[in-house]
Amino acid sequence: MRLLFCFIFAICFFSGKLSAEESLYAGQKKIPLLISDHHADHAVWIARQTGKQSAALLVVDAHADTAINNDRETVRAFINAGNYKNADTFIKNHNWIHPLTPAPLHSLAWINKISGVPDAARLAGFLKSTAAWNLKNIKCVNLDEIDSIPVGDGALFVSIDLDFFYYENYTPRDIPYVFDRLLDYSLKWKGDVFWALCTSLAWLPGVEYAWQLLEQSLMWLIPREEFTRPEVTLFTTNRYDTSRRAESFRMTGTEPPSLYLKEAAMPDALRDLFSLLENR
């Protein structure tokens, strides 16, 4: 009964939402989708998806994640050898992008606000850290400026950190608008498109907020036939984070919170939504 309710609610809530442009997506290749807790999970997933294909990365995140990865060459060597498991051990949530540049990622755009001027200090840090990465295009824009990002014909990776909906006073209610804008842009892309979401629990006020973010995300995704069934690593990836945020937790005697092995604690309504998405 609960499953039926979720299905009816999703159809009613989202009926009429698909634009004429989106309806043209029928018959085209669907968008692969990853749902993770850790943002670092996106790195190897991107590498596996691209192969030798060059790609642009669009990151929607409260943080740039462009810290220097001192193990970059080691990561790249493992990726080039197809040894993704070993490559993954040198990738962290705050430095996962660097090893993927300038190949397969040749361009990087960071969206950290829906509208308004980027924080000056964050923008300066983003530009400074990426200056030597030899990328073709580097941009920091707000979501309302998304159409200023050049549309290419290689692959596009849209990487969404759901902690975006905690900072700047954004909430889970902002997810449909943001996802709509991102999909509109994605459907203009001339090459393959990939989406990946992460919760980043350690950067949220608590696990209940993570469940709310996931619920809104899944409610938006369920009626969207543009996407494949997701690959889900929410509860199966355990990482030792070395970011300053992680160290602040350890200074209080605790490890950064994560969703690792917490599938049993997931609310039933959310479990039903995952079932709808994975079994459609």
Side-chain angles (χ1 to χ4, degrees):
M1 192 69 177
R2 187 176 60 243
L3 189 66
L4 178 61
F5 169 78
C6 290
F7 178 76
I8 293 172
F9 182 84
I11 296 300
C12 293
F13 186 79
F14 290 102
S15 61
K17 289 268 185 176
L18 297 182
S19 67
E21 181 182 25
E22 290 168 46
S23 67
L24 295 176
Y25 201 86
Q28 298 183 26
K29 185 177 179 180
K30 292 192 175 186
I31 300 173
L33 175 66
L34 170 70
I35 301 177
S36 67
D37 182 21
H38 297 282
H39 213 158
D41 284 16
H42 294 194
V44 165
W45 190 77
I46 287 173
R48 286 196 287 109
Q49 299 292 333
T50 56
K52 300 296 183 181
Q53 185 179 191
S54 63
L57 176 63
L58 172 58
V59 179
V60 180
D61 195 339
H63 313 93
D65 292 352
T66 52
I68 299 302
N69 188 320
N70 293 322
D71 297 305
R72 171 180 176 267
E73 295 304 326
T74 301
V75 172
R76 291 179 61 80
F78 279 129
I79 287 176
N80 290 337
N83 191 337
Y84 299 117
K85 182 177 181 179
N86 281 351
D88 198 46
T89 62
F90 295 95
I91 297 171
K92 308 300 181 184
N93 288 318
H94 62 300
N95 63 14
W96 63 274
I97 301 175
H98 186 210
L100 303 179
T101 63
L105 300 178
H106 60 70
S107 298
L108 171 63
W110 176 37
I111 294 176
N112 75 340
K113 300 182 74 172
I114 292 176
S115 61
V117 179
D119 177 82
R122 289 190 177 189
L123 175 59
F126 169 72
L127 295 176
K128 180 180 180 181
S129 61
T130 59
W133 288 11
N134 196 29
L135 293 173
K136 184 164 60 176
N137 293 300
I138 301 174
K139 292 178 74 74
C140 177
V141 298
N142 64 47
L143 182 69
D144 291 340
E145 299 170 328
I146 191 172
D147 289 329
S148 69
I149 303 172
V151 174
D153 55 6
L156 170 68
F157 282 88
V158 179
S159 177
I160 306 168
D161 192 326
L162 294 177
D163 75 3
F164 179 89
F165 300 98
Y166 175 58
Y167 292 84
E168 298 289 339
N169 295 318
Y170 304 141
T171 72
R173 292 190 297 272
D174 294 302
I175 285 176
Y177 174 76
V178 172
F179 283 18
D180 281 346
R181 292 298 305 272
L182 293 172
L183 184 58
D184 285 342
Y185 178 79
S186 297
L187 294 177
K188 297 174 185 176
W189 200 263
K190 300 174 184 177
D192 294 334
V193 177
F194 306 84
W195 275 39
L197 316 179
C198 66
T199 55
S200 291
L201 177 58
W203 277 260
L204 298 177
V207 69
E208 292 303 321
Y209 198 78
W211 300 141
Q212 292 175 41
L213 291 170
L214 284 168
E215 181 177 14
Q216 287 296 317
S217 299
L218 298 189
M219 291 297 294
W220 184 90
L221 284 163
I222 284 169
R224 299 285 178 170
E225 294 297 330
E226 295 88 349
F227 294 90
T228 65
R229 286 180 294 178
E231 180 178 340
V232 180
T233 63
L234 270 174
F235 310 109
T236 58
T237 302
N238 189 25
R239 291 185 178 275
Y240 185 84
D241 200 343
T242 58
S243 67
R244 284 180 293 179
R245 175 73 170 179
E247 292 305 318
S248 70
F249 276 103
R250 294 189 184 104
M251 288 178 65
T252 66
T254 62
E255 283 296 310
S258 76
L259 292 177
Y260 180 61
L261 299 181
K262 289 186 172 63
E263 185 172 7
M266 179 169 52
D268 289 339
L270 186 57
R271 192 183 310 277
D272 289 342
L273 291 173
F274 266 112
S275 295
L276 284 172
L277 186 60
E278 293 172 359
N279 298 315
R280 64 183 181 186

